[in-house]
Amino acid sequence: TLDGRDIAAARRAGGLGVASQPLAVYPHLTVREHLEVFGRLAGLSAASCADRVPAMLDAIGLADRAGREPRRAVRRGRR
């Protein structure tokens, strides 16, 4: 349990995620690759990540920087 919540149940329901600190855990990965890694850790298939990541990048305004490393593509306040 975490704060009185069943972690496994929260994860299955989609109510629990991971946000590393700092976000760029793997400095050699691009912004897109980071989203794909965390999508896979959340249980998404590779195909689902390939479908969903571009829309996510567009939604957060980083589509034009998807191929760059986070430290160069994302301002500190958004990492």
Side-chain angles (χ1 to χ4, degrees):
T1 64
L2 177 65
D3 196 30
R5 294 176 61 196
D6 179 349
I7 295 171
R11 185 169 184 272
R12 284 190 300 273
L16 182 67
V18 175
S20 62
Q21 197 64 1
L23 179 61
V25 175
Y26 307 103
H28 62 285
L29 296 181
T30 65
V31 172
R32 175 186 297 107
E33 290 167 334
H34 271 91
L35 290 177
E36 290 170 350
V37 166
F38 285 102
R40 294 302 305 268
L41 288 172
L44 297 176
S45 68
S48 182
C49 284
D51 289 340
R52 296 172 76 172
V53 165
M56 177 67 71
L57 288 164
D58 191 45
I60 61 175
L62 292 176
D64 62 327
R65 295 177 240 164
R68 296 175 64 187
E69 294 175 357
R71 68 176 183 230
R72 294 191 175 111
V74 183
R75 281 181 253 153
R76 264 206 126 131
R78 292 188 67 184
R79 285 187 212 164

